[in-house]
Amino acid sequence: MERLSEPYTIRYPQIVAVADDTGGEVELVEFFDCIGGAMWVKRHYARSPLVRSVRTVGATTRYILSTGSADLALQGSTFPAGIAAVSVDKDEISITYRGLGGGGVGASICRAGAGGVIRCVSDPAGGGRLAGSTIWLPRRERVIIGIDDTDTAEEGATWTLTHNIARAVEDERSRYLSHTIVQLYPVPYRTKNCVAIACEFATSDPSGLVRCYRDYLEDYTLSDETGMAVWRGFDPSPLEEFGCRVKRGEVPADDLAAIDDRRLSIVMDGRGAIGAVAAIPFATRYEEALALWNGST
């Protein structure tokens, strides 16, 4: 029987954080390997005063956090672990975790040893004791790339191409977070299913990421009407009204041209740019994104 190298440690594969422009709000994205541990954390960490919301997206747990520090009144079973501090500076984001017993193991070495951590301070953990860690992560910004119309009636599939490009452009500066298929209103000139894609990244090199993604897309697209749009910002909700209209019916190009927001840029301006922009606000909102709206709802 092979010996277990670390029988009481499960290291998080990766932890990533993005901050808004002011540094007052952070989204912490923890990629997990053990779903039981992730569900336990989601339930208990939600009680932390700095946690505004928590949700599961694929194999990640995502927290919206306020910056600051808080005293955690930890108690076994009822509130055994949480996030005690969040800090943002120019280049880094720090997160402090605290926990009791097994929650202390998760709050200390399991996170301190995660991919993406620049450095850490961690307590010894195990048994019933209180333990925790502070980890420092690169400060990144959210970039959502919308894409539509890359295939033809004979070949191609936008959802597969966009995912494969997203994997290809991922590096230490840019982490691929999510891929969302967004059902649009079935316009007459669609290829077949009329969907657009939103690929979400956390990056410290937005210009390099966008340039690399565009180069791949220009090389591999099969369509002359490809659209690629980029949102650089913490919250894409300013595009929601436009996205909802594109899901409900056909929208003219003039309506796209009327959007005036410095956070949005059109990188490839084929007819698919309308769908590309419409996909962006639905990133990770899978139920809404996949719903077919018939034009009257």
Side-chain angles (χ1 to χ4, degrees):
M1 183 175 67
E2 184 178 350
R3 300 290 295 173
L4 300 178
S5 59
E6 296 180 293
Y8 288 104
T9 298
I10 298 175
R11 298 180 191 273
Y12 280 72
Q14 184 175 190
I15 301 177
V16 174
V18 298
D20 69 357
D21 290 343
T22 69
E25 190 172 18
V26 169
E27 182 165 32
L28 179 68
V29 182
E30 296 183 338
F31 290 73
F32 57 78
D33 180 55
C34 175
I35 191 168
M39 295 301 105
W40 187 92
V41 162
K42 179 182 177 182
R43 177 178 179 85
H44 291 297
Y45 278 35
R47 294 193 58 191
S48 305
L50 300 177
V51 176
R52 294 169 52 184
S53 67
V54 57
R55 62 191 177 119
T56 302
V57 179
T60 67
T61 303
R62 293 185 172 218
Y63 310 84
I64 298 295
L65 306 174
S66 298
T67 55
S69 60
D71 293 328
L72 303 183
L74 298 182
Q75 184 176 355
S77 300
T78 59
F79 183 25
I83 293 175
V86 180
S87 178
V88 177
D89 64 23
K90 181 180 178 182
D91 298 314
E92 295 180 344
I93 296 172
S94 68
I95 311 291
T96 299
Y97 304 87
R98 291 285 181 267
L100 297 170
V105 174
S108 57
I109 189 60
C110 293
R111 287 181 170 83
V117 174
I118 300 171
R119 64 186 185 280
C120 66
V121 176
S122 183
D123 299 326
R129 58 185 158 181
L130 171 68
S133 65
T134 297
I135 64 172
W136 283 264
L137 305 164
R139 179 175 179 172
R140 303 180 194 263
E141 70 172 88
R142 193 188 323 279
V143 170
I144 304 174
I145 299 177
I147 310 97
D148 192 18
D149 201 341
T150 69
D151 51 5
T152 69
E154 292 75 33
E155 57 182 334
T158 299
W159 75 277
T160 52
L161 175 63
T162 53
H163 172 76
N164 288 331
I165 294 176
R167 283 287 182 225
V169 302
E170 187 175 29
D171 59 21
E172 287 301 314
R173 294 168 297 177
S174 299
R175 295 302 192 188
Y176 177 29
L177 298 183
S178 69
H179 174 287
T180 306
I181 298 174
V182 182
Q183 177 67 59
L184 306 177
Y185 183 79
V187 294
Y189 43 84
R190 68 189 184 276
T191 304
K192 181 59 69 174
N193 291 320
C194 203
V195 299
I197 307 298
C199 288
E200 179 197 17
F201 296 85
T203 182
S204 56
D205 180 25
S207 297
L209 167 68
V210 171
R211 182 171 59 251
C212 193
Y213 201 104
R214 179 203 61 208
D215 289 348
Y216 270 105
L217 191 57
E218 288 179 339
D219 191 26
Y220 286 99
T221 186
L222 302 173
S223 170
D224 295 328
E225 294 291 349
T226 300
M228 175 179 165
V230 176
W231 177 265
R232 289 182 56 179
F234 190 82
D235 178 9
S237 63
L239 298 178
E240 184 170 352
E241 188 272 338
F242 180 82
C244 288
R245 287 199 288 123
V246 178
K247 283 178 69 67
R248 288 193 173 100
E250 189 170 353
V251 172
D254 287 349
D255 287 8
L256 173 59
I259 298 176
D260 183 18
D261 194 312
R262 63 177 179 79
R263 294 166 292 184
L264 176 69
S265 58
I266 307 301
V267 179
M268 296 176 66
D269 63 355
R271 187 171 59 198
I274 295 172
V277 172
I280 289 171
F282 291 97
T284 74
R285 294 165 54 180
Y286 296 103
E287 294 301 320
E288 294 169 275
L290 293 170
L292 175 62
W293 299 353
N294 64 13
S296 62
T297 61

